[in-house]
Each structure stands twice: as C-alpha cells, then as structure tokens.
Amino acid sequence: MATRYIRNTAILAKIESTYGTDSTPTEGANALLVSNVSINPLSAANVDRDLVRPYMGASEQLVGPAHIELSFDIELSGAGAAGTAAAYGPLLRACGFAETLSASVRAEYNLVTPVADSVSIYYFSDGVKHIAKGCRGTLSLKMSAGGRPVLSFKFLGLDGGVTAASPSALTLTAFKTPTVISEPNTGDLTFGATYTAATPTLTGGTGYPSQGIELDLGNAVNYTPLLGGESVDISQRQVTGKILLDLTAAQEVTFMASVKANTLQSLGLMHGTTAGYKVMIFMPAAQLINPSKSEVNGKLMIGYDIRALPSSGNDELKIVVH
C-alpha cells in the first residue's frame, strides 16, 4: 500500500459570481500558499433510526444535512507593489471585507454588512480532491514580536463532492515573503492616531513598546440546511483581541483611568518598511478591558483585552496593504 502524506496538500480558492456555484479555481491563478492545514470533509447532522427490535443493539444512522469545515494559515504580507490586491484578498472578502484598490497607493480592506462574497475552495489531500462551495468564514490575526505575521482562516462550505485527483503545478508568485515582527520592521502600537488614506500613514497619537497584537474577527458563521437553498452565512461579528504593553508606572495609572472610564481610542500598527511590502492594522474605536500583569524575561508587562467597536459603522477593523 502506498503511503500518503499530510504535507502533500494543496488549496485553491476563487470568488464566486453566483453564491454556491462552483467558480472552478485553477492551480495557475488561484492557488494559496498555506500552512497549518485542516479539513473536516463531512460535518453531518446524522439522524439515528433508533429501531426497536427483540434484541439489544444500535441502529445505523442516516447521513443528514452536511457541510465542510476547512482551516489554514496564510502569511500576512504585502502584494509586492503598492495598489495591488493582496493574494489573500478573496479570502478576506469571504470573511466580510470589501476590497478597494487605489492605483500605486494601497489596497484597503474594510468591513461590510451584509457579507455577499463567497469562495469556492478546492482542497487536494494527497490524491483526493474535496470541493467546498459557498464558503464563508472568519479569521484571527497574530502579529507577535519575534514571529511572522499570520492570518488564520476558518471556513464553512457546502459539500461539492469528492474525487480521486491531484493538482497540477501551483503558481504561488503572488504570495510575498513576510518580514518578522521586530524592532527594525515594525512600529510601536500607536494609540490616538488618525489614519491618513492618501499616504497611507498613521498621523499623531502616542506609541508604546509592546509584544505586538492578536485579533479575532469574531464572525458568527452558520450553515443553514434549507430545502432548495442551503447556505453558509455570517450573521454577526465581534472583533476582539489582546495586547501586552511595556508601560511606566505613570502610564499604567493613566491607562487604568481609561479602562475605568470606558474610553474609546484609535489603535494602529504599521509593519514593513518597503513600499509594496507594508501592512497596516487600524481600529478607530478600541476599548481596553480586563487589565492584567505579566512577566516577560523579568520585565513587568501590562496586558489588556481589546474590543474593537464600530465608529460610524463597518469600520471597527481596517487592513491596508501598501
């Protein structure tokens, strides 16, 4: 028997023009550069027959409404040229972001309500091809000091079938190598800044040394098995996160006052130093809650949970590639 390997995995994803209709992604145009992959190829609500017979024993279950669950990580990096869409842009769109391109300046990803976009995903698992249609999902973002910037995606999709198949050669040149989250490559976490789209930059505000930032988009993603109209929908989102700051005693006292006063303030982070390879995260109305104290190499660090709130609507989190 031939051995099959988990690393012999390839994933393709393409935006659908009609929800739930296979958009036929290709290896040459829609391949993803991924890590930490996982698939549940048939998440089914099985129905137990529970038959009564003159002896003990179980009854078979009937396979009920079913969907596919997929997850994988993608490195958060620039597109190689300012104003060019990020290679992972279709995935952001299927998680509730709209993509806006400004030629030679930036690709901006802003949240939308409702979420209309979806992707078809082909998941090749060492000789087996799984098709997931109508995929929508959620993501978490990790930009921690000393690590690579990563987007962790989780998708639900409609079962599009399974066949014995292997992918042809993948084209992955759109995915650029990221830089490590470090002092030379990454700015301070900046509070109270204004996002200037034309540049794009963070203007004003106060920067603080930190261990980086972790965010969770917090989409409520649900599969609904309607007769003649099954779908995966995003019905709500709550963006949350956490940070760990290196504060002076006076700064800690000031931050505590802000927590007690339910203060909302902008929070942003710029990563990258070369045009085309920069990424910015910006939240215009972040609330810090649940202060805590931690030790890092003997240093006292102050931690906070984050709630990113809408300011004018659909703006609680912005991702800018430039």
Side-chain angles (χ1 to χ4, degrees):
M1 176 181 290
T3 302
R4 299 172 67 203
Y5 297 97
I6 191 66
R7 294 192 69 88
N8 193 4
T9 296
I11 303 178
L12 320 177
K14 183 180 179 181
I15 289 288
E16 296 174 339
S17 56
T18 302
Y19 179 78
T21 299
D22 188 352
S23 58
T24 62
T26 65
E27 292 87 340
N30 310 112
L32 304 178
L33 185 59
V34 299
S35 59
N36 191 30
V37 296
S38 177
I39 183 172
N40 180 350
L42 194 70
S43 180
N46 291 340
V47 179
D48 198 330
R49 294 186 68 193
D50 195 22
L51 300 175
V52 176
R53 296 165 294 198
Y55 47 84
M56 291 186 288
S59 304
E60 72 268 30
Q61 291 186 337
L62 307 177
V63 176
H67 63 280
I68 298 175
E69 300 174 351
L70 312 100
S71 65
F72 47 85
D73 292 349
I74 287 185
E75 293 168 332
L76 178 62
S77 61
T84 302
Y88 44 83
L91 304 177
L92 292 179
R93 291 171 59 183
C95 290
F97 288 87
E99 180 181 79
T100 304
L101 303 181
S102 178
S104 302
V105 179
R106 69 189 182 280
E108 198 169 276
Y109 295 90
N110 295 295
L111 293 167
V112 294
T113 303
V115 178
D117 284 332
S118 59
V119 289
S120 293
I121 296 178
Y122 290 2
Y123 188 108
F124 291 92
S125 178
D126 202 351
V128 174
K129 174 185 177 182
H130 301 271
I131 297 178
K133 304 178 299 181
C135 297
R136 292 183 176 128
T138 190
L139 64 87
S140 58
L141 178 153
K142 188 172 183 179
M143 300 180 72
S144 299
R148 59 181 182 146
V150 170
L151 295 169
S152 297
F153 290 94
K154 294 181 180 180
F155 285 101
L156 303 186
L158 310 180
D159 182 13
V162 57
T163 57
S166 297
S168 59
L170 306 181
T171 299
L172 299 167
T173 52
F175 290 87
K176 306 305 177 184
T177 302
T179 54
V180 170
I181 306 295
S182 66
E183 179 68 23
N185 300 326
T186 315
D188 291 341
L189 273 179
T190 303
F191 289 80
T194 300
Y195 169 63
T196 303
T199 320
T201 54
L202 297 175
T203 304
T206 303
Y208 296 90
S210 74
Q211 286 277 62
I213 189 168
E214 295 183 21
L215 294 173
D216 187 341
L217 184 57
N219 281 345
V221 187
N222 301 289
Y223 164 69
T224 305
L226 299 177
L227 300 179
E230 62 175 350
S231 64
V232 173
D233 302 290
I234 298 174
S235 58
Q236 172 62 308
R237 66 172 173 261
Q238 294 190 41
V239 182
T240 59
K242 58 183 180 180
I243 54 175
L244 198 61
L245 303 178
D246 182 10
L247 301 177
T248 66
Q251 289 169 340
E252 181 185 349
V253 171
T254 299
F255 268 76
M256 182 64 79
S258 296
V259 170
K260 291 181 177 180
N262 307 311
T263 301
L264 302 182
Q265 55 190 321
S266 68
L267 176 57
L269 180 66
M270 179 81 77
H271 175 64
T273 59
T274 304
Y277 294 86
K278 297 179 181 180
V279 176
M280 179 195 296
I281 306 300
F282 184 70
M283 293 161 281
Q287 180 187 14
L288 301 185
I289 59 173
N290 301 330
S292 61
K293 302 199 179 195
S294 299
E295 179 268 333
V296 177
N297 294 332
K299 292 175 66 71
L300 174 62
M301 304 286 285
I302 313 302
Y304 302 91
D305 291 340
I306 302 168
R307 291 180 58 82
L309 308 176
S311 178
S312 56
N314 293 317
D315 60 352
E316 57 264 47
L317 175 62
K318 181 192 301 289
I319 299 175
V320 185
V321 178
H322 59 104

